[in-house]
Amino acid sequence: MEKRCLVSVANLPKEKILNLIRMGQEFEKRPNRKLLDGRIVATLFFEPSTRTRLSFETAANRLGAKVIGFTDPKVTSSTKGETLKDTIMMVSNYADVIVMRHYLEGAAKYASEVSPVPVVNAGDGANQHPSQTLLDLYSINKTQGKLDDLHILLVGDLKYGRTVHSLIMAMRHFNPTFHFIAPEELSMPEELKAYCREQGIKYEEQTDFNEEVIAKADIIYMTRVQRERFTDLMEYERVKDVYILRAAMLRNAKQNMKILHPLPRVNEIAYDVDDDPHAYYFEQARNGLYAREAIICDVLGLTLEDVKA
């Protein structure tokens, strides 16, 4: 049987995305299923995580699977020099699927090539974060009633932000208009802009983040300036607080506009936004459970019909 992995959203067809959203909708109706009774999910987190790890582990538990793994590579044999290949081969002896976060770009693709069991990319460096993208799409579809023809503001760290890179690739099917809002030091990489041009994705670039641009948005996707991606801490200090979304900036926003954020936040969303009806980032995190239940089932070969049964 063909091994099914989720490493990137770049090659996910539109129908596959919509099918995963439909599966997530079924899990939202009834999260607790015993579809994976007797299965083992390994979560290998070489980088810190709260929401991604806990939602994957909760998803596995609610599906009836058992969870093994680690949250700190310092407690593993990698500190003794064990290679990533050997770690993956060893863990695959014990698990039916591997969920892995790694600090190196391309690590998930490599793991998927050497692993005999399915691999799910839970974030690889500044590259991609496909499971976050699927929960983002789930959240957008749930709040807007559609994925097509939306104006989406991407704000903050667009250079290192793997969540926004993946979102652009996934939205190619749905005719979006993106507004890239970032300081010059953190602007969208040229290869992502070239990708937009190749795919016919409309985008605008600007540095201003104000009420006027917010008024155009169906979705505002805020991002954290990621200190861990910077080698020059002076550069980080210069740009970390460039954009801060405050409740007063939302007075002209569309009624159904929603604010997303992959979290954690630092200073980029003021706390007075939390009580605004446009805020959706905590509900977005909850949607991660349903999306990741769908992902685990899909890579293990279960279908929408299996979930509905």
Side-chain angles (χ1 to χ4, degrees):
M1 186 173 73
E2 180 189 2
K3 182 177 65 177
R4 302 158 69 99
C5 296
L6 179 63
V7 172
S8 167
V9 297
N11 298 316
L12 277 185
K14 180 177 182 178
E15 188 50 43
K16 176 78 161 181
I17 290 171
L18 294 175
N19 190 64
L20 285 166
I21 289 174
R22 293 183 196 109
M23 287 178 71
Q25 289 168 340
E26 293 299 317
F27 286 122
E28 183 168 4
K29 295 174 191 172
R30 188 160 58 91
N32 295 326
R33 317 283 184 100
K34 293 300 180 185
L35 294 169
L36 300 183
D37 192 29
R39 303 290 189 101
I40 304 293
V41 176
T43 54
L44 312 185
F45 278 72
F46 293 86
E47 254 192 341
S49 171
T50 301
R51 278 148 298 279
T52 302
R53 180 179 64 83
L54 291 179
S55 60
F56 264 118
E57 293 184 355
T58 303
N61 282 309
R62 289 191 181 277
L63 290 166
K66 299 290 193 300
V67 178
I68 63 171
F70 56 81
T71 60
D72 182 356
K74 292 177 183 176
V75 303
T76 73
S77 292
S78 62
T79 61
K80 303 174 184 177
E82 183 172 73
T83 63
L84 179 59
K85 177 182 179 180
D86 286 2
T87 298
I88 294 297
M89 294 299 292
M90 183 274 298
V91 173
S92 68
N93 289 322
Y94 313 137
D96 299 288
V97 58
I98 293 172
V99 177
M100 186 181 82
R101 169 169 288 189
H102 204 281
Y103 50 86
L104 290 178
E105 296 180 24
K109 184 175 188 300
Y110 176 75
S112 73
E113 291 168 351
V114 301
S115 173
V117 302
V119 171
V120 176
N121 180 7
D124 60 330
N127 185 29
Q128 287 208 36
H129 197 346
S131 71
Q132 176 71 45
T133 300
L134 286 165
L135 79 88
D136 292 342
L137 294 176
Y138 188 92
S139 299
I140 293 169
N141 184 71
K142 183 177 177 180
T143 61
Q144 304 303 308
K146 63 176 185 176
L147 290 171
D148 299 287
D149 307 318
L150 298 173
H151 282 261
I152 301 175
L153 273 57
L154 304 180
V155 185
D157 182 357
L158 307 188
K159 179 178 180 180
Y160 300 112
R162 58 193 174 196
T163 61
V164 295
H165 299 169
S166 292
L167 184 61
I168 288 169
M169 293 179 180
M171 285 297 294
R172 72 191 183 278
H173 300 296
F174 304 106
N175 191 37
T177 299
F178 283 110
H179 302 260
F180 299 155
I181 303 173
E184 187 176 340
E185 299 93 328
L186 296 175
S187 63
M188 187 64 70
E190 185 55 44
E191 58 266 29
L192 268 298
K193 291 186 282 187
Y195 179 87
C196 287
R197 293 190 291 271
E198 290 163 8
Q199 297 292 326
I201 298 171
K202 299 182 289 294
Y203 72 89
E204 301 175 1
E205 285 190 283
Q206 58 198 90
T207 55
D208 292 333
F209 183 47
N210 52 39
E211 290 181 41
E212 184 179 350
V213 69
I214 287 171
K216 301 176 184 177
D218 299 297
I219 294 290
I220 298 177
Y221 197 102
M222 299 296 296
T223 65
R224 172 177 64 95
V225 177
Q226 303 172 76
R227 180 175 180 174
E228 63 269 27
R229 306 292 177 210
F230 283 79
T231 54
D232 182 350
L233 289 183
M234 291 294 290
E235 182 183 6
Y236 168 75
E237 291 295 330
R238 265 197 317 274
V239 298
K240 67 176 184 176
D241 293 328
V242 171
Y243 303 122
I244 300 176
L245 180 61
R246 304 183 190 280
M249 300 167 67
L250 301 171
R251 66 187 117 202
N252 296 321
K254 295 179 183 179
Q255 183 175 359
N256 197 42
M257 185 276 288
K258 295 300 178 188
I259 302 160
L260 305 184
H261 191 309
L263 302 175
R265 67 171 162 184
V266 184
N267 300 319
E268 60 278 0
I269 299 178
Y271 287 110
D272 66 356
V273 176
D274 293 355
D275 296 325
D276 191 283
H278 295 99
Y280 194 74
Y281 27 91
F282 295 122
E283 294 88 342
Q284 175 191 3
R286 183 174 63 231
N287 292 337
L289 170 62
Y290 317 129
R292 287 170 174 135
E293 284 188 278
I295 289 166
I296 293 172
C297 285
D298 180 73
V299 298
L300 288 173
L302 277 72
T303 66
L304 179 59
E305 287 67 36
D306 294 326
V307 172
K308 284 182 173 181

